[in-house]
Amino acid sequence: MMKWMLDFLEQLYQNVEMLQKIVEILKKLWGKITFVISLILILIVCSLFEPIATYLKKYEKIATVYSVIEEYRIQILVVILCGVIIAFLYATIKLGKQLSRDSIRMADFTKKLHVRFFHDLRDDIKDLENYGKKINAGDDKEKIILKEEMFKKFVESMQRYIDFISEYFSDYCGSTISACIKIIKLDKDNQDIDDIKNRRAITLVRSAATKRERSKNNEEVTVVKNSDFLFLCTGANVFYGKADLDQEYSKHQYNVEDDYDTWHSKYISTLITPIRYYNKHRRYTTNDNRIELDILGFLCIDSKKKQINWEEFDSHELQLMAIISDSLYTYMKRFKDIYIKGE
């Protein structure tokens, strides 16, 4: 009994393996198969019209094929119909499995987003509050030590976040996605737009996946000399996303401080969201002190493969980047207030 069962399973495995090979062959030949089927259907339709049929029979090669098609017209149509039904069922089952995998995958992504980002972010903000209390209560020497400790933990937390962001989008996109956070050298609120444009943006943290190859390049840049950062410091633009930077560069619409060969060897697509507070209601008022524009930095991801979705406003990548950027603003702003102002 056991031997029979093992033989049966081995035979079943071989049959499944054979079917998989057949499917792979059909995938490769699908274009040619479609062409042949289309041609046969055209000849069948032509056979229904006597003038066309008579004309086609004049050609010997076509006449031979045509006679077979004419004789077995119904059988051929049945075979084609069965093939279409099987292909439809296969595509439906495959789509169903893909949707199921995507649903499980998205649930896993959501869980990771909660545990590895928002949960940690809440705790880190709470830690900042505790540091703030200790700094306010300490003497000058204690304040210096506590601020150094707080800054170290802040950078460690940001590194943890950016590594998660890189891993998350790499899994989601199916290719290596590099991520970094750049901060703008600023020491005041209620920033002036022209003042921001001339400031330097420094790479605070970069994802571990690409840190080594980029650690010595492009660590500090001027906002006005980079199309992406300049765009986000102008008006109410909420993101900068380009799928093909080669094309943008050829049209003189993408400028960076690095030369072409330097950046082109590292990425072709980019998506950037500002880490900022933008008060759109400020333009309608003149007698209040609310912050009109407070840009702390930029959350950036890029890829060596073209990411078409990154240009779309409703893409998952952009919406998640915007959520993370807004969340990071709260954390970074609180750190800045405690570290610089002691509030």
Side-chain angles (χ1 to χ4, degrees), residues 152-165:
K152 183 180 178 181
K153 288 200 68 173
F154 171 73
V155 174
E156 288 174 352
S157 295
M158 296 297 274
Q159 183 65 56
R160 192 170 65 249
Y161 297 146
I162 208 65
D163 284 339
F164 165 71
I165 291 166

Side-chain angles (χ1 to χ4, degrees), residues 120-129 327 330-331 334:
D120 285 355
L121 184 66
R122 178 203 62 188
D123 292 348
D124 287 336
I125 291 174
K126 183 64 178 176
D127 286 343
L128 283 181
E129 298 296 336
S327 302
T330 304
Y331 179 50
R334 193 70 194 103

Side-chain angles (χ1 to χ4, degrees), residues 68-188:
V68 174
I69 291 174
E70 193 172 28
E71 184 178 353
Y72 298 101
R73 183 190 305 163
I74 301 300
Q75 292 89 331
I76 292 171
L77 283 173
V78 170
V79 170
I80 292 174
L81 181 61
C82 289
V84 170
I85 292 171
I86 291 171
F88 175 77
L89 291 174
Y90 172 78
T92 303
I93 293 169
K94 186 175 180 181
L95 179 62
K97 288 181 178 179
Q98 183 64 43
L99 289 173
S100 178
R101 285 195 298 268
D102 287 347
S103 177
I104 295 171
R105 192 160 155 254
M106 189 55 67
D108 184 51
F109 282 157
T110 305
K111 181 180 178 181
K112 287 179 180 177
L113 186 63
H114 169 241
V115 174
R116 293 185 57 190
F117 182 75
F118 288 109
H119 187 84
D120 285 355
L121 184 66
R122 178 203 62 188
D123 292 348
D124 287 336
I125 291 174
K126 183 64 178 176
D127 286 343
L128 283 181
E129 298 296 336
N130 293 332
Y131 270 111
K133 292 176 183 178
K134 291 178 182 178
I135 289 171
N136 287 331
D139 56 31
D140 291 343
K141 185 177 180 180
E142 288 174 331
K143 285 180 180 180
I144 292 172
I145 295 172
L146 285 168
K147 283 187 176 183
E148 287 178 352
E149 185 181 320
M150 184 177 72
F151 178 75
K152 183 180 178 181
K153 288 200 68 173
F154 171 73
V155 174
E156 288 174 352
S157 295
M158 296 297 274
Q159 183 65 56
R160 192 170 65 249
Y161 297 146
I162 208 65
D163 284 339
F164 165 71
I165 291 166
S166 173
E167 291 171 21
Y168 181 99
F169 284 120
S170 294
D171 287 343
Y172 184 82
C173 298
S175 61
T176 301
I177 303 299
S178 176
C180 75
I181 293 173
K182 292 186 181 292
I183 57 172
I184 297 177
K185 284 184 175 179
L186 293 171
D187 55 6
K188 60 182 179 180

Side-chain angles (χ1 to χ4, degrees), residues 184 186 188-194 196-197 232-237 274-280 282 290-296 329 333 336:
I184 297 177
L186 293 171
K188 60 182 179 180
D189 296 327
N190 297 302
Q191 304 159 16
D192 178 78
I193 288 293
D194 292 327
I196 294 173
K197 291 178 183 178
L232 293 171
C233 289
T234 306
N237 299 317
I275 301 172
R276 72 178 180 191
Y277 170 75
Y278 181 79
N279 188 350
K280 62 183 180 181
R282 169 74 177 182
R290 289 182 294 173
I291 300 171
E292 179 181 5
L293 181 65
D294 185 19
I295 300 179
L296 299 183
Y329 173 85
K333 180 67 174 177
K336 178 183 173 184

Side-chain angles (χ1 to χ4, degrees), residues 241-259:
K242 299 297 177 182
D244 190 346
L245 289 173
D246 268 346
Q247 188 177 46
E248 298 298 315
Y249 184 81
S250 65
K251 295 188 293 187
H252 305 289
Q253 294 179 356
Y254 182 68
N255 298 304
V256 290
E257 284 184 71
D258 273 340
D259 58 80

